[in-house]
Amino acid sequence: MQRRDFLKLSVGAAAAAAFAPRASAQGALKEIRIGYQKNGVLVITRQQAALEKHFSAQGIEVKWVEFSSGPPMMEAMNVGSVDYGAVGDSPPVFAQAAGAAIVYAAAQPIVNGQGILVPKDSSIREIADLKGKRIGFTKGSSAHNVVVQTLEKAGLTYADITPVYLTPPDAGPAFANGSIDAWAIWDPYFAIGETKQNGRILINARDVTKTNSFFIANRDFAKNNGAILQQIVDVTAASAKWAEQNRDEVAKSLAAITGVPLDIQTVAAKRAGFAVVPVTDDIIVTQQGVADRFAKLGLIPKPIVIRDIVWRNPAA
C-alpha cells in the first residue's frame, strides 16, 4: 500500500493534518497529544482529567483530539500529530502495512459491544443470508475484521458481499434508511443502531472470534519518551480499573464527554470490558491472525509481522 492509498483510507487525514506535528524537542517534553473516539477507557481518563493531574507536576500539558474511527487516528499518529490513542484491531494492521511509525503499547480484550446489525424486519436471519447483501462498515476498522471473520464462519468469501465503506456517522443514517442491508459496528454506535435505529443483532463479534483493542503510540514518541509512555499506560490502566467497578458513573462520563445520550452510553458501559493489559504472546498471535487474513485477501499489500512493532519498556 502506497502512502497515497493510506491517505485515501484515512478519511479524516485532512482534518488530522491541522494538528501540525511538533519539531524534535531538545528539552523536556511539554505536551502529550491523545487521540480518542466516542467510547472506551480514554474517554473516562479524559473526563477525570487523570493524565492532566498526573503530569501537571512535570510541567506537561495534555491535548485531546477526537476521531470518528481508528484509520484517521493512525494517519495522524504516523505524521506525529498524535502521540497515543486507542483503536480496534484492524487500524494498526493497515497502518503497519503502509509503513506507519507506530507501536503497540498496551491491549484491551474486547468482551462485548461490537458485531453486525440488521433491520428488525430483515429477512437476514443467519450469517449465510448475508450473501449478495450490502454491508456497511469503516474500511480498515475493527468492524472490517469482524465482517471478514463472520463470512469465513459461514463459508462465505469477501467477494460474496458488497462492502460499503462508511464512517460511523455516515453509516448510521444509511442503515436507518435502508441504503445498506447490514451494519458492522462497535459501541456506542452499536447500541444506537440496536436501540434507536430499529436494529437487530445478527451476530456478536465475541461469538465469531477473539478480538482486542489496542493502545498505540507514535514510534518516535515511544523511543524518546519511554518513561512517559509507561506512565500514560499506567494512568490509563488505573482509569480502566476504576471503570470496571463504577459502570453507572462510566456511562455518565461517556455521555458528558461525547454528547451521546446517557441511555445509549449506559447500554455500552454495562457490557464493555475495560481492563488494560500488556500485549502478551497470546494477543500477538491473535493479532497476527488478523494481519495474515487481510494479507491473504489482498486487503493489505504484503504480509507483516505484528511482533516487530510491539513496544517493550526498556526500563521494565
Side-chain angles (χ1 to χ4, degrees):
M1 184 183 295
Q2 300 298 314
R3 179 172 174 79
R4 62 178 179 273
D5 297 319
F6 187 38
L7 288 170
K8 290 178 182 177
L9 167 65
S10 301
V11 294
F19 300 96
R22 291 167 297 188
S24 296
Q26 299 300 318
L29 186 69
K30 296 299 183 183
E31 182 182 75
I32 300 168
R33 298 173 179 179
I34 308 293
Y36 73 103
Q37 300 180 54
K38 289 185 180 294
N39 62 353
V41 171
L42 288 183
V43 175
I44 308 306
T45 306
R46 183 187 178 196
Q47 199 275 340
Q48 295 180 334
L51 287 170
E52 288 85 346
K53 293 173 185 175
H54 179 85
F55 286 112
S56 62
Q58 301 178 47
I60 300 174
E61 295 185 359
V62 178
K63 182 175 183 177
W64 294 89
V65 187
E66 183 179 340
F67 295 85
S68 65
S69 62
M73 188 192 301
M74 292 295 90
E75 173 61 14
M77 191 171 291
N78 175 52
V79 300
S81 299
V82 174
D83 301 311
Y84 178 84
V87 297
D89 52 10
S90 300
V93 168
F94 279 80
Q96 183 182 358
I102 61 168
V103 294
Y104 292 88
Q108 185 175 57
I110 297 176
V111 297
N112 206 339
Q114 67 174 358
I116 299 178
L117 295 170
V118 296
K120 284 184 178 178
D121 59 356
S122 171
S123 62
I124 301 172
R125 292 289 168 180
E126 54 188 38
I127 299 172
D129 296 334
L130 291 173
K131 186 173 183 179
K133 298 299 192 292
R134 299 160 297 174
I135 306 179
F137 55 91
T138 302
K139 186 176 183 180
S141 71
S142 60
H144 200 154
N145 180 45
V146 169
V147 169
V148 168
Q149 296 211 48
T150 297
L151 295 174
E152 286 185 2
K153 185 179 179 72
L156 298 177
T157 70
Y158 200 63
D160 285 325
I161 60 108
T162 299
V164 182
Y165 300 135
L166 296 167
T167 63
D170 292 331
F175 179 74
N177 67 28
S179 297
I180 53 178
D181 302 302
W183 183 17
I185 192 59
W186 55 87
D187 273 335
Y189 304 101
F190 193 45
I192 292 172
E194 181 186 0
T195 62
K196 302 295 186 181
Q197 295 173 318
N198 200 37
R200 167 170 50 86
I201 297 176
L202 176 68
I203 191 77
N204 274 295
R206 69 173 186 270
D207 297 327
V208 176
T209 185
K210 290 193 297 184
T211 57
N212 300 282
S213 290
F214 292 95
F215 296 90
I216 307 295
N218 171 270
R219 184 176 59 208
D220 291 338
F221 180 85
K223 180 180 178 180
N224 298 327
N225 303 281
I228 295 294
L229 177 55
Q230 186 60 60
Q231 291 174 56
I232 297 171
V233 172
D234 290 346
V235 172
T236 304
S239 294
K241 185 175 181 180
W242 178 89
E244 289 280 0
Q245 301 169 357
N246 297 275
R247 293 178 183 270
D248 287 339
E249 292 302 313
V250 166
K252 294 176 183 177
S253 296
L254 291 170
I257 289 290
T258 65
V260 175
L262 178 59
D263 60 334
I264 297 296
Q265 291 291 18
T266 298
V267 172
K270 292 293 186 183
R271 63 189 179 192
F274 295 103
V276 175
V277 301
V279 184
T280 62
D281 287 343
D282 181 63
I283 289 172
I284 292 172
V285 168
T286 299
Q287 185 70 347
Q288 187 65 55
V290 176
D292 292 346
R293 187 171 292 105
F294 282 2
K296 183 179 179 181
L297 291 171
L299 295 173
I300 58 175
K302 61 181 180 181
I304 58 174
V305 178
I306 298 299
R307 195 178 298 272
D308 287 349
I309 65 166
V310 174
W311 177 72
R312 301 298 185 196
N313 182 1

